[in-house]
Amino acid sequence: LWQALRKSRELTGATPGALEAFLAVRGARTLAIRLQRAQQTALMLAERLERHRSIARVRYPGLPSHPTHPVARRVLKGFGTIISFDLQGDAAAADAVCSRVQLIQHATSLGAVESTIERRAGIPGQEHLPPTLLRLSVGIESGDDLWADLNQALGGAS
């Protein structure tokens, strides 16, 4: 039994400390409101991206144009905070958008309070993805500020 417990602790870690437990509880208390805000903003951004001249395709289940939208409406409580979209152009144009954003962070991260963007095909092992596919993880910043940042970055890429 001791060996099983020891192996479990080696693989999963020990119990969290008091500070880590406090931070987890504190974060859980505001999770619902943060998620609601980020999902509302994600839907607004997806709708605007779908109408932007530099965008070839938007993948977000909250859009009526998404193939799984009817199912998503029926089974989900929200449509999530991740938007994937393809730019018109090439990989260099997609990289340029990532480098032009100022409020949105160019990073590989999901679920933070800060919005992040990345070109997935630029990551080793992900080269099979479309070269102009960008993934945006929406945080809790102002939707209008996020749109202004995205729009200026996209405007320079077209």
Side-chain angles (χ1 to χ4, degrees):
L1 185 59
W2 168 246
Q3 290 304 323
L5 176 61
R6 185 174 180 181
K7 179 115 177 140
S8 175
R9 284 191 63 178
E10 286 174 5
L11 295 174
T12 62
T15 56
L19 177 62
E20 291 79 11
F22 164 75
L23 292 172
V25 169
R26 184 177 71 172
R29 289 179 180 147
T30 60
L31 178 61
I33 192 75
R34 289 183 284 123
L35 186 58
Q36 180 184 22
R37 165 77 177 256
Q39 287 184 128
Q40 289 171 343
T41 302
L43 178 59
M44 180 269 288
L45 292 173
E47 290 170 343
R48 291 182 182 184
L49 285 166
E50 194 170 47
R51 295 188 302 267
H52 197 282
R53 61 178 162 57
S54 297
I55 304 300
R57 178 180 179 190
V58 178
R59 296 174 177 91
Y60 185 72
L63 294 174
S65 61
H66 193 274
T68 64
H69 179 72
V71 174
R73 282 184 54 134
R74 194 171 63 249
V75 301
L76 299 176
K77 292 182 180 177
F79 298 115
T81 63
I82 308 297
I83 306 166
S84 294
F85 56 98
D86 295 287
L87 292 178
Q88 304 282 357
D90 57 13
D95 285 334
V97 169
C98 291
S99 67
R100 281 192 194 96
V101 290
Q102 297 170 1
L103 174 62
I104 300 167
Q105 297 178 27
H106 183 199
T108 300
S109 180
L110 302 171
V113 294
E114 304 86 14
S115 297
T116 60
I117 193 167
E118 68 176 341
R119 185 173 75 84
R120 292 298 300 165
I123 298 171
Q126 301 296 307
E127 298 88 357
H128 62 283
L129 295 171
T132 61
L133 175 71
L134 296 177
R135 181 176 73 176
L136 175 66
S137 176
V138 179
I140 61 170
E141 304 95 339
S142 158
D144 290 333
D145 290 347
L146 290 172
W147 176 247
D149 192 26
L150 265 178
N151 195 36
Q152 66 79 25
L154 290 166
S158 57

